[in-house]
Amino acid sequence: MHKKTLVAAAVGLGLISLSACGTSETKSSSADSKTVTLVSHDSWAVSKSVLDDFEKQSGYKVHVLKDGDAGQAVNKAILTKDNPQGDVFFGVDNTLLSRALDNGLFESYTAKGLDKVGAAYQLDQAQHRVTPVDYGDICVNYDKAYFGKHKLTPPQSFADLAKPEYKNLLVTENAATSSPGLGFLLGSAAQFGDQGWQDYWKKLKANGVKVVDGWEQAYYQEFSGSSEGRKAGGDRPLVVSYASSPPAEVIYAKKRPSTAPTGVANGTCFRQIEFAGLLSNAKNPKGAKAFIDFLVSREFQEDMPLNMYVYPVLKGAKVPAEFTAYGPAAQHPETMAPGKIAANRDQWVKSWTSLVLK
Amino acid sequence: MALPVAFFALFFAWPVAAIVARGLKVDGAWQFGRITDVLTQPDIRHVLWFTTWQALASTALTLLLALPAAHVFARLDFPGKQLLRAVVTVPFVLPTVVVGTAFLALVGRGGLLDEVGGVRLDTTVWAILLAHVFFNYAVVVRTVGGLWAQLDPRQEEAARMLGASPFHAWRKVTLPALAPAVAAAALMVFLFTFTSFGVVQILGGPAFSTLEVEIYRQTSEVFDLSTAAVLTLVQFVAVGAILAVHAWTVRRRETPLRLVASEVTARRPRGAGQWALLAGVLATIALLLVLPLAVLVRRSLDAPGFGYYRALMNADGGTFLVAPIHAVWTSLQYAVAATVIAVVIGGLAAAALARRDAGRLVRGFDALLMLPLGVSAVTVGFGFLIALDKPPLDLRQSWILVPLAQALVGAPFVVRTMLPVLRAVDGRLREAAAVLGASPWRVWREVDLPLVRRALLVAAGFAFAVSLGEFGATVFIARPDNPTLPVAVARLLSRPGDLNYGQAMALSTILMVVCAAALLILERLRTDRTGEF
């Protein structure tokens, strides 16, 4: 290594720092008590004006870190729990909750205004280590045009999907890698019991269920009800998606249709609840608490649906008209205790894989 | 040499070691028993087998289809050559999500093949192989073509004068000279396809699973770090073995070559044979590379009056706090930073490796530098998280982490493209310069640099392209909310609704154009007078 080369290297590294001048440099916030750092998954979204309001009222600057999909974000938070990347975590759902709690990811905190949050969503009543923020339903969506054309009633329940008139119509996602795919499997396990779900899936398989890898493919390639799926020649009028997908179909249509092109099969839903929590060893616990209060405030709860396509947990929070008109939340969704999910999930996914994919 | 070693140790070896140790150490004791536990599972064995054979098949197919193109780009002159060279590199930078979608338009239901011949290849292994060719075509064209363009055609002509048939002359004269570059290209393609993730998932369907997918699942979904650690080690061993074979085959072939300026070696096609070759290569490129890209562009234009593009200009507050178009700027900044890092690190490493007196240790480092291509992004991302978490190196929230991770992938490219050329520089030139009193630095500047400038630019182009399209590390590293292009595309695609899908296609088109433009500019940067001797 010659001295001259070192000089060249130094020049190169200098260039790097120069090229960085343009980036919005966000300083590491750990030591700064005026900043609160939120760690979340990639789907986190909020209107700028609403976040600005929080910053104005609380005096904290919010720094957001996105850390991959929901599973990754939770796992990374657990790995770094002794020296966390932020103060508050949003986005752990009921399928991952036990893993987070058992690993001591969160400290107890009772949010201001928690009394106005539906008790059904509070899955850690005893200790309040997590605060519910939103919920959503994973449900089968159907293509209205197809069922209208074929004079066929859309399926309404898990059991319907295995009936001969719906042969070769359903596409779902890989339960091992996709969150709606897993939700649909858990929903069937909640409905048919620990043993019964395997028989159910055998029937589904015999009835020609198609499994693709991820939601994007199922919805945009195989499903005949989405505008893109139609263009791609999708020929499956039933897809595992979300209760909030039909409103999104309407809101993001090129020309707004008068009714949604897709509907939700109400008896095929599995409920997901998302939580936020104060990270153990947070550098700014006060800021984190203020942010959790903000997450269950009316302003945030009413802003949330059109940003993340989920439903508010706050009683009396207004839901956008499109949601009530085209995709109301499911009436009687399947649910499952987080502890039970944690205990069985890996084994079920394994059995499901060998049963359905092999 | 010290700088590349330090860089590699700090940003690759240490994080990966940290995450593997986390998985295999329980209460301070190594659990090596886990290794046999994992490896005796039939599922895992099946995954290993599939991963290996599809990578071998993909590599063979890519070489078969792309080597003629390398020849055409190196030896023939035709209008639009530079543009086409940039175009074939575009697939390489597209996010796999987008490629999968585009490719389905070719091999999927209602796709071109379906309409023409009623053939559907999606959810078959053929779709995976073709998509791998689509991705890696440029790797072969650029690494092999770069050297080929500078080989002196007169040597082959001399052989012809002495009575050898064209094929015979090529086999005896040109091929041996090209061997190191071909081997390097094959190695890169193999590593890429061996660790393929998105392509296998989207086009193969859930029935096909590679080692990379399994590591991702164990880390992200199951959170079984010990199984993930074992699989990472397995990947290490496999990649290490490949590198060893590669080093062994190349070492006996590298000889100084007479390099000439690439401008003088390309000629207009002459004779039916050359025209036919050119036509064949162009047809392949049109079908395999341009068509899927064209499908993307067409879909992005589906809304009247560039509606999707206009939608990119406004922040909808929800999905993005800034307008999606802002991602272009973010991506470019990362790409510039990553390119500079990769070229500095890779260039220094290549210079050290090219010296004839390079010892065994240095040569070993050559192989090590390639390892980042063969380790899954999720492993590196998680490793960063637990290794780089203490001051003065708490980089977890720093933007520099993203270009650093991208440079890890880019640097091997730089080394691979520069090394064959550097090693081909005749040492006697350097000695002559030194004898005449030039300092080592001046020797490098006056002798090596003019000869390798072209390779350097090709390498920089690669590093830039890698960074622009890189998705894995960018996703696995926690980052403040300013998405890069591929991340923004994925985010748009993950929501229902026509407008989101259209914007994703529009943004992908912008990504293609930005990439092609950047590569074209790099091509232009070449001074017209490469060293004359």
Side-chain angles (χ1 to χ4, degrees), chain A residues 98-286:
Chain A
S98 282
R99 185 185 293 170
L101 295 180
D102 296 347
N103 279 292
L105 187 53
F106 301 117
E107 282 178 32
S108 295
Y109 171 62
T110 310
K112 288 193 186 71
L114 192 65
D115 51 317
K116 298 191 210 59
V117 170
Y121 308 115
Q122 300 186 31
L123 297 188
D124 192 34
Q125 284 276 32
Q127 302 184 52
H128 294 301
R129 286 165 297 180
V130 286
T131 306
V133 177
D134 65 71
Y135 68 92
D137 294 311
I138 291 164
C139 312
V140 169
N141 284 202
Y142 60 86
D143 172 7
K144 285 180 179 170
Y146 176 93
F147 287 98
K149 202 173 98 189
H150 291 77
K151 308 254 185 310
L152 192 61
T153 327
Q156 277 311 317
S157 64
F158 281 103
D160 281 355
L161 295 171
K163 288 181 179 162
E165 59 260 45
Y166 305 116
K167 197 171 172 64
N168 300 336
L169 299 190
L170 174 67
V171 58
T172 183
E173 298 87 3
N174 187 352
T177 50
S178 147
S179 122
L182 177 69
F184 188 60
L185 167 61
L186 292 174
S188 71
Q191 167 98 290
F192 299 105
D194 298 7
Q195 303 306 318
W197 71 262
Q198 302 214 22
D199 290 334
Y200 172 68
W201 276 93
K202 276 183 199 138
K203 284 188 204 139
L204 273 190
K205 195 178 173 182
N207 210 25
V209 64
K210 180 169 188 174
V211 184
V212 293
D213 205 71
W215 177 88
E216 287 87 350
Q217 245 186 302
Y219 195 84
Y220 282 132
Q221 298 284 342
E222 304 289 340
F223 181 46
S224 59
S226 71
S227 49
E228 277 311 316
R230 267 196 304 283
K231 276 184 221 160
D235 58 2
R236 299 254 161 179
L238 297 170
V239 66
V240 173
S241 188
Y242 296 89
S244 59
S245 302
E249 262 315 311
V250 174
I251 292 167
Y252 288 103
K254 255 186 299 193
K255 281 215 300 281
R256 188 171 274 222
S258 53
T259 61
T262 56
V264 171
N266 240 314
T268 60
C269 299
F270 179 76
R271 176 141 301 175
Q272 271 184 313
I273 307 167
E274 280 195 298
F275 303 88
L278 161 62
L279 284 164
S280 308
N281 310 312
K283 311 252 185 336
N284 182 3
K286 261 181 75 179

Side-chain angles (χ1 to χ4, degrees), chain A residues 1 5 20 25 42 45-46 66 69 72 75-76 83 85 99 213 217 220 222 228 233 252 254 307, chain B residues 1 101 109 201-202 216 219-221 317-318 333 341 348 389 396-397 399 476 479 495 498-499 501:
Chain A
M1 189 84 186
T5 339
E25 183 74 41
D42 291 342
V46 59
K66 296 196 172 188
D69 66 31
Q72 271 163 34
N75 294 351
K76 287 185 187 177
N83 179 11
Q85 299 193 82
R99 185 185 293 170
D213 205 71
Q217 245 186 302
Y220 282 132
E222 304 289 340
E228 277 311 316
Y252 288 103
K254 255 186 299 193
N307 282 325
Chain B
M1 198 66 217
T101 310
R109 177 191 329 96
Q201 292 303 81
I202 293 174
Y216 167 84
T219 312
S220 288
E221 309 276 329
Q333 285 175 317
I341 300 172
L348 287 175
D389 65 341
R396 293 182 309 179
Q397 298 189 17
W399 68 271
F476 293 129
R479 65 246 167 247
R495 293 183 139 197
D498 198 26
L499 198 57
Y501 189 89

Side-chain angles (χ1 to χ4, degrees), chain B residues 279-304:
Chain B
V281 165
L282 291 181
T284 311
I285 291 177
L287 268 180
L288 196 66
L289 276 73
V290 179
L291 190 78
L293 298 179
V295 169
L296 279 187
V297 178
R298 200 188 57 78
R299 286 202 177 166
S300 75
L301 294 171
D302 260 349

Side-chain angles (χ1 to χ4, degrees), chain A residues 325-348:
Chain A
Y326 308 120
Q331 291 299 311
H332 304 290
E334 294 292 344
T335 55
M336 194 179 284
K340 186 172 177 179
I341 297 175
N344 294 302
R345 169 187 177 150
D346 294 344
Q347 194 44 52
W348 283 349

Side-chain angles (χ1 to χ4, degrees), chain A residues 1, chain B residues 1 251 254 348-367 419 422-423 430:
Chain A
M1 189 84 186
Chain B
M1 198 66 217
R251 193 159 321 153
E254 274 172 347
L348 287 175
L353 291 168
R355 294 173 45 176
R356 297 249 153 242
D357 54 1
R360 224 159 236 277
L361 258 180
V362 177
R363 285 189 180 282
F365 181 68
D366 177 18
L419 208 51
L422 274 175
R423 283 195 178 146
R430 294 193 194 111

Side-chain angles (χ1 to χ4, degrees), chain B residues 437-473:
Chain B
S439 68
W441 171 239
R442 185 145 177 221
V443 171
W444 157 253
R445 211 181 53 211
E446 303 277 349
V447 177
D448 290 60
L449 191 63
L451 287 169
V452 300
R453 183 178 291 141
R454 181 176 159 65
L456 191 70
L457 284 169
V458 170
F462 255 138
F464 193 84
V466 166
S467 165
L468 216 48
E470 203 278 333
F471 183 69

